[in-house]
Amino acid sequence: MSRIKGWCPGALRPMESGDGWVLRIRPRGGRLSPAQAMGIAAAARTHGSGLIDLTGRANLQLRGVTPATHAPLIADLRALELIDADIATETRRNITVTPFADPATDAVAAALERALAASGLTLPAKFGFAVDTGPAPVLGDTPADIRLERGRDGGLILRADGMALGARCADPAGDAVALAAWFLARGGAIDGRGRMAALIARGARPEGAGTAPAPAAPPPGPGPVAQGALVALEFGQLDPDTLRALAALGPLRLTPWRMLLVEGAATPPDLPGLILDAHDPRLRLRACTGAPGCPQAHGATRPLARRLAPMVPRGQVLHVSGCAKGCGWPFRADLALVATPHGLDVIRGGRASDPPALRGLDPDRLPPLPELF
Ligand code: SF4
């Protein structure tokens, strides 16, 4: 087992953070059985701090793991069939599956998982796949390098991220692995890093890309859906009791939108940290772990975001980041407040790393929020 500092932890290779090691679980097919979810809840409390994050690629992170608890935690997760054979297999199995998967989509995701495991490819740690072949595409804004989608005529297509068009495919899993091999052969990975969109931007073009994908729908808010009920998590975080209560209602599908889909549930329980109302102002917030959990943070993030939530206008996104890295929301926000050693920087309509419009504001003496938007 080795540890890395950076932002791609796995289960076998956790990452150091300010509150201990962070360990990432990649549920197979983006789904947890009730027994798996309850097992994770117990393991998070026994071997970690109990804090569980839902990531932007629909994975779970357990926080507060220690060198002493890592091995027993892996043993517990392995018994739940959540652990890969080795680090290489785990790293490669970076697949986001639409939470609205039908049985055919589940089969594609499982086949892709097997094909990747057998491929032996060494892909960059952040290189990922999206299986978005459900009734309507919803993963358009979810980071992925290779996308399996539906074309406008309903047929399956394979699209390299950065390309407007995809190629029709008869063997989705095999074709996706072949496209990953093409990425490597064309020099997409340099020193173990690289993304498909950057390779496409340099002019490389995969063969056969001539079919437009069906338009992606915006992610729904919390509430009932055909498959069950979507519940949102404040800042994408939940505790073991909440996870256990949700698992008691049915299997869980993970989403990349800080929400869980409880399959078959009509009314989820109203528990602390769960957001059930699509108009809840907390849905307008994005915030990373911040201080003290992250050693790189220049300030606390979530308490400030919570305080400002009622003043965030409807339809707008406020991002509070502990530093310019912007892990909590790697996209543009209507307003970003970024902690620096000299106070808060203000970025309008950009990412945390963009040039600020204002610098060094005192977090305790902010002007009225609408004036900052
Ligand atoms: S953005 Fe937040 S979580 Fe990421 S490194 Fe900066 S402070 Fe840490």
Side-chain angles (χ1 to χ4, degrees), residues 7 288-290 294 296-297 321-323 325-327:
W7 287 99
C288 67
T289 302
C294 175
Q296 296 172 61
S321 186
C323 79
K325 206 164 169 184
C327 314

PDB file of all heavy atoms in Angstrom, residues 7 288-290 294 296-297 321-323 325-327, ligand 1:
ATOM      1  N   TRP A   7      -5.146  14.550  -5.471  1.00  0.00           N
ATOM      2  CA  TRP A   7      -6.589  14.550  -5.398  1.00  0.00           C
ATOM      3  C   TRP A   7      -7.208  13.370  -6.085  1.00  0.00           C
ATOM      4  O   TRP A   7      -8.309  13.461  -6.602  1.00  0.00           O
ATOM      5  CB  TRP A   7      -7.117  15.893  -5.907  1.00  0.00           C
ATOM      6  CG  TRP A   7      -6.831  16.905  -4.874  1.00  0.00           C
ATOM      7  CD1 TRP A   7      -5.794  17.785  -4.839  1.00  0.00           C
ATOM      8  CD2 TRP A   7      -7.547  17.092  -3.653  1.00  0.00           C
ATOM      9  NE1 TRP A   7      -5.824  18.509  -3.687  1.00  0.00           N
ATOM     10  CE2 TRP A   7      -6.889  18.112  -2.940  1.00  0.00           C
ATOM     11  CE3 TRP A   7      -8.672  16.496  -3.083  1.00  0.00           C
ATOM     12  CZ2 TRP A   7      -7.322  18.551  -1.695  1.00  0.00           C
ATOM     13  CZ3 TRP A   7      -9.105  16.929  -1.847  1.00  0.00           C
ATOM     14  CH2 TRP A   7      -8.434  17.945  -1.168  1.00  0.00           C
ATOM     15  N   CYS A 288     -15.719  23.396  -0.425  1.00  0.00           N
ATOM     16  CA  CYS A 288     -14.814  22.268  -0.185  1.00  0.00           C
ATOM     17  C   CYS A 288     -14.710  22.029   1.316  1.00  0.00           C
ATOM     18  O   CYS A 288     -15.332  22.727   2.126  1.00  0.00           O
ATOM     19  CB  CYS A 288     -13.443  22.561  -0.778  1.00  0.00           C
ATOM     20  SG  CYS A 288     -12.599  23.908   0.065  1.00  0.00           S
ATOM     21  N   THR A 289     -13.871  21.080   1.697  1.00  0.00           N
ATOM     22  CA  THR A 289     -13.681  20.780   3.123  1.00  0.00           C
ATOM     23  C   THR A 289     -13.182  22.003   3.885  1.00  0.00           C
ATOM     24  O   THR A 289     -13.640  22.302   4.980  1.00  0.00           O
ATOM     25  CB  THR A 289     -12.666  19.624   3.274  1.00  0.00           C
ATOM     26  OG1 THR A 289     -13.177  18.502   2.563  1.00  0.00           O
ATOM     27  CG2 THR A 289     -12.422  19.270   4.709  1.00  0.00           C
ATOM     28  N   GLY A 290     -12.235  22.751   3.305  1.00  0.00           N
ATOM     29  CA  GLY A 290     -11.703  23.938   3.965  1.00  0.00           C
ATOM     30  C   GLY A 290     -10.957  23.614   5.245  1.00  0.00           C
ATOM     31  O   GLY A 290     -10.665  22.455   5.563  1.00  0.00           O
ATOM     32  N   CYS A 294      -8.642  20.454   5.629  1.00  0.00           N
ATOM     33  CA  CYS A 294      -7.639  20.422   4.561  1.00  0.00           C
ATOM     34  C   CYS A 294      -6.431  21.260   4.947  1.00  0.00           C
ATOM     35  O   CYS A 294      -6.573  22.444   5.277  1.00  0.00           O
ATOM     36  CB  CYS A 294      -8.238  20.956   3.258  1.00  0.00           C
ATOM     37  SG  CYS A 294      -6.987  21.077   1.967  1.00  0.00           S
ATOM     38  N   GLN A 296      -4.271  22.609   3.185  1.00  0.00           N
ATOM     39  CA  GLN A 296      -3.951  23.707   2.261  1.00  0.00           C
ATOM     40  C   GLN A 296      -4.916  24.883   2.383  1.00  0.00           C
ATOM     41  O   GLN A 296      -4.767  25.890   1.710  1.00  0.00           O
ATOM     42  CB  GLN A 296      -3.966  23.180   0.828  1.00  0.00           C
ATOM     43  CG  GLN A 296      -2.890  22.126   0.575  1.00  0.00           C
ATOM     44  CD  GLN A 296      -3.051  21.479  -0.782  1.00  0.00           C
ATOM     45  OE1 GLN A 296      -2.990  22.129  -1.806  1.00  0.00           O
ATOM     46  NE2 GLN A 296      -3.293  20.182  -0.790  1.00  0.00           N
ATOM     47  N   ALA A 297      -5.919  24.736   3.234  1.00  0.00           N
ATOM     48  CA  ALA A 297      -6.963  25.764   3.319  1.00  0.00           C
ATOM     49  C   ALA A 297      -6.454  27.002   4.059  1.00  0.00           C
ATOM     50  O   ALA A 297      -5.732  26.906   5.050  1.00  0.00           O
ATOM     51  CB  ALA A 297      -8.182  25.195   4.017  1.00  0.00           C
ATOM     52  N   SER A 321     -14.431  28.618  -1.293  1.00  0.00           N
ATOM     53  CA  SER A 321     -13.301  27.697  -1.438  1.00  0.00           C
ATOM     54  C   SER A 321     -12.197  28.048  -0.449  1.00  0.00           C
ATOM     55  O   SER A 321     -11.907  29.230  -0.225  1.00  0.00           O
ATOM     56  CB  SER A 321     -12.758  27.783  -2.882  1.00  0.00           C
ATOM     57  OG  SER A 321     -11.761  26.806  -3.074  1.00  0.00           O
ATOM     58  N   GLY A 322     -11.564  27.010   0.103  1.00  0.00           N
ATOM     59  CA  GLY A 322     -10.496  27.243   1.070  1.00  0.00           C
ATOM     60  C   GLY A 322      -9.197  27.697   0.439  1.00  0.00           C
ATOM     61  O   GLY A 322      -8.304  28.191   1.127  1.00  0.00           O
ATOM     62  N   CYS A 323      -9.069  27.532  -0.873  1.00  0.00           N
ATOM     63  CA  CYS A 323      -7.913  28.052  -1.598  1.00  0.00           C
ATOM     64  C   CYS A 323      -8.278  28.083  -3.085  1.00  0.00           C
ATOM     65  O   CYS A 323      -9.368  27.645  -3.478  1.00  0.00           O
ATOM     66  CB  CYS A 323      -6.646  27.227  -1.337  1.00  0.00           C
ATOM     67  SG  CYS A 323      -6.559  25.688  -2.269  1.00  0.00           S
ATOM     68  N   LYS A 325      -7.472  26.351  -5.468  1.00  0.00           N
ATOM     69  CA  LYS A 325      -7.545  25.079  -6.180  1.00  0.00           C
ATOM     70  C   LYS A 325      -8.993  24.730  -6.570  1.00  0.00           C
ATOM     71  O   LYS A 325      -9.233  24.128  -7.620  1.00  0.00           O
ATOM     72  CB  LYS A 325      -6.951  23.979  -5.290  1.00  0.00           C
ATOM     73  CG  LYS A 325      -6.399  22.819  -6.042  1.00  0.00           C
ATOM     74  CD  LYS A 325      -5.496  22.018  -5.116  1.00  0.00           C
ATOM     75  CE  LYS A 325      -5.148  20.695  -5.754  1.00  0.00           C
ATOM     76  NZ  LYS A 325      -4.359  19.865  -4.864  1.00  0.00           N
ATOM     77  N   GLY A 326      -9.933  25.092  -5.715  1.00  0.00           N
ATOM     78  CA  GLY A 326     -11.344  24.943  -6.075  1.00  0.00           C
ATOM     79  C   GLY A 326     -11.851  23.522  -6.161  1.00  0.00           C
ATOM     80  O   GLY A 326     -12.742  23.230  -6.956  1.00  0.00           O
ATOM     81  N   CYS A 327     -11.334  22.627  -5.328  1.00  0.00           N
ATOM     82  CA  CYS A 327     -11.758  21.217  -5.400  1.00  0.00           C
ATOM     83  C   CYS A 327     -13.265  21.034  -5.221  1.00  0.00           C
ATOM     84  O   CYS A 327     -13.843  20.094  -5.768  1.00  0.00           O
ATOM     85  CB  CYS A 327     -11.122  20.388  -4.298  1.00  0.00           C
ATOM     86  SG  CYS A 327      -9.413  20.625  -4.034  1.00  0.00           S
TER      87      CYS A 327
HETATM   88  S1  SF4 B   1      -9.881  23.843  -2.551  1.00  0.00           S
HETATM   89 FE1  SF4 B   1     -10.380  23.358  -0.439  1.00  0.00          FE
HETATM   90  S2  SF4 B   1     -10.136  21.142  -0.232  1.00  0.00           S
HETATM   91 FE2  SF4 B   1      -9.090  21.779  -2.137  1.00  0.00          FE
HETATM   92  S3  SF4 B   1      -6.948  22.111  -1.538  1.00  0.00           S
HETATM   93 FE3  SF4 B   1      -7.990  24.090  -1.399  1.00  0.00          FE
HETATM   94  S4  SF4 B   1      -8.712  24.226   0.706  1.00  0.00           S
HETATM   95 FE4  SF4 B   1      -8.190  22.105   0.328  1.00  0.00          FE
END
